[in-house]
Amino acid sequence: MAAPFFSTPFQPFVYQSPQDAVTPFQILGGEAQIVQIMLKPQERIIAKPGSMCYMSGSIQMENVYATENEAGVWQWLFGKNTTSIVLHNTGTTDGFVGIAAPSLARILPIDLAKFGGEILCQPDAFLCSINDVKVSNTIDQRPRNLVASAEGFLRQKISGQGLAFVVGGGSVVQKNLEVGEVLAVDVPSIVALSSTVNVQVKYNGPMRRVNDNLVTAVLTGPGIVFIQSMPFHRLSQRIARAVTSPNMRDNPKFFIQIAIFFFLAYVVVVSSLILTDI
């Protein structure tokens, strides 16, 4: 559904709501995408805080607490946002809003009416929505499905009859599962799935090594699954390792810097002992 990245004219897609309201939108860009949504007078959208990239002059933005959040305390404890922004066209003419993906991610438009009114997502997958959409964060009550991370402990539920936009890192693959069809997926790689899909978490190694990419979700259809190739936390971990753990080939001065650090530390300690004796 995304437009080619080289398109410059605004040639929007059209979303037909259950109330027969028409909302045009366009997904722009290749790797770090933006969804541009046209808003008629008095129309509004809900978006994730910090996602607004640009908007026309008639749009008013308000930061509100997400009262529908069923796990607001858990969200706060894990450093997640418990607020949303409302972008409202208060003018008399059509306006537009550009909502950007938070990282190198694809934006997926999901018509909830075609998913039975509900999908389950990884935390932070929700980007913005049009019309009747409710976002809540729930906890998987099955002990075997509690993974030692916020991504496994919390699940984001998007429900309603409107249009929701979710983000997936890297490339995104859609799998349509038939009744009884089984698919094994790395847990962090799941962006979203239909509520009709049965999920069982399988540990492929000791629990103490659960963060070492050894947790697999066994999915059983029917339903639809969206899979991302590069979860954001995995990308950030690789960047952190590359920055904080350079080897001799990548950074020949690394060991020299370490030697200088220990020499300076030795000088400070010896100087402190001498001054103490004096």
Side-chain angles (χ1 to χ4, degrees), residues 126-169:
F126 173 79
L127 182 64
C128 61
S129 63
I130 301 172
N131 294 330
D132 178 27
V133 175
K134 177 181 177 181
V135 182
S136 58
N137 291 278
T138 59
I139 301 173
D140 195 332
Q141 301 294 334
R142 292 171 292 183
R144 62 175 285 109
N145 287 357
L146 296 183
V147 183
S149 65
E151 283 69 23
F153 191 66
L154 291 173
R155 288 197 309 185
Q156 194 172 66
K157 181 172 68 174
I158 303 177
S159 57
Q161 297 297 315
L163 180 67
F165 295 89
V166 300
V167 293

Side-chain angles (χ1 to χ4, degrees), residues 46-113:
I46 307 295
K48 184 178 179 179
S51 61
M52 194 281 294
C53 185
Y54 58 85
M55 59 185 182
S56 58
S58 61
I59 306 297
Q60 297 293 323
M61 182 170 61
E62 182 182 3
N63 199 339
V64 298
Y65 176 72
T67 56
E68 71 277 6
N69 209 322
E70 299 175 7
V73 175
W74 292 110
Q75 285 283 93
W76 179 78
L77 287 175
F78 283 111
K80 308 295 182 179
N81 288 312
T82 57
T83 60
S84 298
I85 57 173
V86 178
L87 298 159
H88 182 204
N89 185 6
T90 58
T92 57
T93 59
D94 291 352
F96 57 87
V97 176
I99 304 296
S103 60
L104 298 176
R106 301 280 180 170
I107 299 177
L108 311 175
I110 297 179
D111 187 350
L112 293 173

Side-chain angles (χ1 to χ4, degrees), residues 202-243:
K202 178 183 177 182
Y203 299 98
N204 303 317
M207 285 290 293
R208 57 184 171 83
R209 300 185 58 197
V210 75
N211 288 325
D212 296 340
N213 198 27
L214 295 176
V215 185
T216 302
V218 180
L219 312 178
T220 306
I224 298 176
V225 182
F226 295 96
I227 303 170
Q228 59 185 346
S229 65
M230 183 57 67
F232 176 73
H233 86 280
R234 184 176 298 166
L235 174 63
S236 62
Q237 287 175 355
R238 292 179 179 177
I239 294 175
R241 284 197 297 266
V243 172

